[in-house]
Amino acid sequence: MPVIKPISDLRNKANEISELAHKSDEPIFITKNGEGDMVVMSMAQYSKLQLKIDLFSKLAVAQAQKASGDKGRTLSQVMKDLRKRLRETA
């Protein structure tokens, strides 16, 4: 369930909003004059969101490559490359 708070709580109850953002691990929707204005979230939640966006971006590239006919690499090719990299760094 979304957490919705008035903008006055940012000024009057900033610590409470901070605690809520960390405990709920969900974004908090801030309203101004009864309408949505902004979203507040913890840095941890923001980092998770950024990682998801990065993953979705990479998946979109992979889907586009597949749609254009790119066959990619086999699992054995990938494993061979990984083993080679591991030997080089050891």
Side-chain angles (χ1 to χ4, degrees):
M1 175 147 224
V3 178
I4 302 170
K5 296 285 184 179
I7 199 162
S8 61
D9 280 4
L10 281 178
R11 179 179 53 252
N12 301 327
K13 301 176 184 178
N15 287 336
E16 180 183 311
I17 295 220
S18 175
E19 287 178 31
L20 184 60
H22 290 283
K23 285 181 184 177
S24 69
D25 208 25
E26 293 289 328
I28 299 169
F29 298 92
I30 305 296
T31 61
K32 184 176 181 181
N33 298 325
E35 297 196 17
D37 186 51
M38 66 177 92
V39 177
V40 176
M41 64 178 67
S42 69
M43 291 296 292
Q45 182 64 23
Y46 180 76
S47 293
K48 288 179 191 177
L49 184 60
Q50 289 299 109
L51 289 172
K52 285 180 186 177
I53 290 169
D54 186 45
L55 175 61
F56 289 145
S57 175
K58 289 176 181 178
L59 288 172
V61 169
Q63 286 179 327
Q65 288 173 338
K66 184 173 177 161
S68 69
D70 189 347
K71 298 291 184 190
R73 300 185 304 165
T74 65
L75 176 60
S76 60
Q77 290 171 324
V78 171
M79 293 305 294
K80 182 179 176 181
D81 290 345
L82 284 173
R83 287 186 189 101
K84 181 180 176 185
R85 286 185 186 179
L86 286 172
R87 282 192 300 273
E88 291 172 355
T89 60

